[in-house]
Structures are given as C-alpha cells and as structure tokens.
Amino acid sequence: MFKTIDDLLADPHGIAGKPVLVREDLNVPMHDGVVSDDTRLLAAMPTLAELADHGAKVLVLAHFGRPDGKVDPALSLQPMAGALASVMGRHVGFLGAPDRHAVDILEPGSITVLENTRFYPGEKTNDPALAKQMASLADFYVNDAFSAAHRAHVSTEGLAHLLPAFAGRAMEAELKALEIALDQPEHPVAAVVGGSKVSSKLDVLTHLVGKVDHLIIGGGMANTFLAARGVDVGTSLCEHDLAETANAILDAADKANCTVHLPYDVVVAKTFAAHADHRTVNVHEVAADEMILDIGDAAVEALSDVLKTCRTLVWNGPLGAFEYPPFDRATVALARTAAALTREGTLVSVAGGGDTVAALNHAGVGDDFSYVSTAGGAFLEWMEGIELPGVKALHR
Ligand code: ADP
Ligand code: MG
C-alpha cells in the first residue's frame, strides 16, 4: 500500500511551516502564456489547497514541454504560477532557482511553483546528485502526477527514496480506480480495446487476455484480427504482417478462458471521410474497394448484452473512426450503454487514452464512467501490466 495525504497530515510533528515538494502534472496546452485547457490545473488543486490549508510551504514541481536538460525561457513555468493562481483564487508564487534559504523565508500556507524540472539535465537520468539537491529543499515529498509515473525521473521517482513519500489526492484517486478495475476487479470483467493499430497495443492485448473474461476488439485493430482469420477486409486499415501475432493472441485467450469478441457486421465506405457513402454489411461481404470504418449495429447490440452481464469494464480505444460521423455510431452507442449500466450501479467502468477520452466526451458520457484517466502513456503502460516506477517508489 502507498501512503496518502491522510498519513502525511497524521504526522505527529505536523506539517505546519514545513516545506513539501509536490510533483504535479502542469503540462497543459499553453499559447502565448495563456492556458487553453485547465483540466490538469483543476486536478492539481485539491492537493495543493489541502496542504497549504494545513500550513505547509507547498513547493510545486512539474515539467513543461521538452527542453531536454537546457534552460529554455519559452518553456519556463513562471506563467503557470499565474494560471494556477487564477484557477485556485489565491496567490501562487514562483521561485526560479530555489535554495533552502529561499524556502525558509516563504510563508507557511504559501504555494510556490518551482522552475521546469526538465531544465535540469539530471531530471531524466534520475541523477542522484540532483535528487539530493532537490530533496534538501523540503521535509516531505508528495507525488500527484500519475500521468508522469511511467518515467523514473528525479521528480517522479528519485525523490521518493530520499524523503517520506505520499500520494497526492489525484494520484490516490487514479490508483484506487485502476486497482478496482484490473488488479482486484469484480468479475466478469470486460475490456474494450479499439483504436487504429494492433502494433501500438500488442502488449495491452497480451496482458488483458490473461486478466479479463471478455476481450472486445474494435477499431482498426479488429481488421487485423479479421484478416488473420481469413476475412477479406478490402482497403481497410490493416496490419497484414501481424496475422500470426493476432492468431497467437486469440490462442492465448482461448487457453485463458477469455472470450474474444470480434464484430460480425461492420460499416464500410470507399473513402475515409465524414459522411462518406456507407453501408453496413456482414464481415464476409466487404468489397475489395471498401474499407471498414466502424462496427455494425448487430455487433454493438451483442456487445451491449455482454456488458450487461459484466461487473467491471476497462476501455481503451474507440470502436470506429469516431472523428468522422457517422462512423462514431458504435463508439457512442456502446459508451452510452456502459454509462447507463454504471449509473444503475451494476458496472464499474474505467476508461483512458487520448482519443478514448475525446470519444467519451463526444458521446456525452465522460462524467458517467466510474473513472476516466487522462494519463495517456502511463494509463497504457498500466494496461500492459507494467509496474510504473513512480507508483512503485510510493509502495515502500
Ligand atoms: P487512444 O488515443 O484512445 O489510445 P488510439 O490512438 O489507439 O486511441 O486510436 C484512435 C484512432 O483510431 C482514432 O483516430 C480513430 O479514427 C482510429 N480508428 C478507429 N477505428 C478505425 C478504423 N476502422 N479505421 C481507421 N482508423 C480507425
Ligand atoms: Mg491516440
């Protein structure tokens, strides 16, 4: 188990007046110093506010962009202090080159953003000297950035070995949700894996067959599986060279008692474009000049019935080319079924992935899933069964 802020607040000596380094994800889209999407700032807020309200000197660590170990004024986190301040409605300071003396004279209850961690060449190499120098600034370390936890950097991993380490509120929520979904889920468990390519999610598929009862394959990667089974997929996006791999995954699923669901009807078109002329056909009726852009209504209905028998769902990857209506139909329909089952309380639903989050929001159900992870790479590595270094370092 990992320690949380509850454990930190229970420290017999208290945290009032003490400096706490808090790793957040402030890697937000920013144009001309203006933040265009403040989702991550909002996610950071509870931890920062709670620690400051208990009198800690909160020192915020984060990376921004890819400065590659060099100081790049365009990637300074200084504007982020202002952005955080306006989201939080309280003063947020900035310290470019902090030392312990500068920290000592900060006010208890203050929040101070430190400079982009990736300005330091030692950050990405997890350099012990940099870790020691950073650790000397504070008495405690809180990691609240799940999305960076798949990297063993000083600010995400190294510090956890040098200071008493705790999970922040956002990290805690993410870890609890993921644990419920895949580490100790209620069975039956269904996984939806969609998206464009099998090659980008091979390790996810391989890991999931040993974990879940139903593996639902959609999106472009379903084409690769269909082709591997001898179906003619026309001009569909398809990785024909992965036929053997796809068949090996199907065999492994069979041995693990995991039922794999491939679509038996699909929506096809001759061009990859919104509102392209299309028809729904049995997978064996795709013409040589047609491509599969979504799964069909009959398949969606069957998959909805599968979800109704399940207690847990993990979802990564859209079922079709959802950016191009009407090829968003299957994704939207199955997402709404999952959302309804979640609201009714029969299903715990966890989803993640850049396009998946966009697709769920497009379906209007982003808030109805039990948990939606915006972590991207870290979420996928977690779905691959990899122990994330930043999380592992908290489990001590
Ligand atoms: P995520 O970001 O959630 O992990 P991916 O990046 O793997 O998801 O996949 C999303 C992309 O897959 C979308 O851009 C979507 O258009 C594409 N896609 C889904 N189904 C198909 C299909 N049948 N043919 C081509 N592209 C598809
Ligand atoms: Mg994507």
Side-chain angles (χ1 to χ4, degrees), residues 318-342:
L319 298 174
F322 76 100
E323 306 95 324
Y324 307 97
F327 309 109
D328 58 343
R329 225 176 117 93
T331 306
V332 168
L334 197 67
R336 288 189 179 154
T337 298
L341 294 169
T342 306

Side-chain angles (χ1 to χ4, degrees), residues 182-190 210-213 309-312:
L182 216 50
D183 295 335
Q184 284 160 342
E186 263 192 67
H187 287 265
V189 182
K211 282 268 178 185
V212 305
D213 307 286
T309 69
C310 288
R311 303 287 292 165
T312 307

Side-chain angles (χ1 to χ4, degrees), residues 61-115:
L61 287 174
H63 77 275
F64 186 59
R66 298 172 183 273
D68 275 336
K70 289 188 283 288
V71 174
D72 177 350
L75 296 177
S76 171
L77 275 179
Q78 185 151 20
M80 208 61 77
L84 258 183
S86 56
V87 164
M88 297 188 69
R90 61 164 92 189
H91 178 77
V92 176
F94 176 76
L95 260 184
D99 55 24
R100 185 71 193 217
H101 175 69
V103 171
D104 283 343
I105 60 178
L106 290 172
E107 290 291 324
S110 60
I111 299 174
T112 308
V113 174
L114 306 187
E115 189 52 285

Side-chain angles (χ1 to χ4, degrees), residues 137-228:
L137 297 176
D139 296 355
F140 302 101
Y141 168 70
V142 170
N143 190 350
D144 204 27
F146 177 82
S147 59
H150 56 317
R151 309 276 184 234
H153 296 170
V154 165
S155 68
T156 61
E157 204 269 352
L159 286 173
H161 298 286
L162 300 178
L163 291 171
F166 306 85
R169 295 300 184 202
M171 173 74 96
E172 179 186 351
E174 181 107 24
L175 292 178
K176 283 187 175 156
L178 299 190
E179 217 150 85
I180 289 168
L182 216 50
D183 295 335
Q184 284 160 342
E186 263 192 67
H187 287 265
V189 182
V192 172
V193 182
S196 46
K197 288 182 175 177
V198 171
S199 54
S200 65
K201 293 182 182 171
L202 260 187
D203 295 333
V204 171
L205 293 164
T206 309
H207 178 63
L208 288 178
V209 292
K211 282 268 178 185
V212 305
D213 307 286
H214 296 276
L215 178 60
I216 294 167
I217 301 178
M221 65 177 63
N223 305 339
T224 299
F225 280 89
L226 291 170

Side-chain angles (χ1 to χ4, degrees), residues 195-196 201 316-318 323 353-356 380:
S196 46
K201 293 182 182 171
N316 169 256
E323 306 95 324
D355 292 293
T356 308
L380 267 188

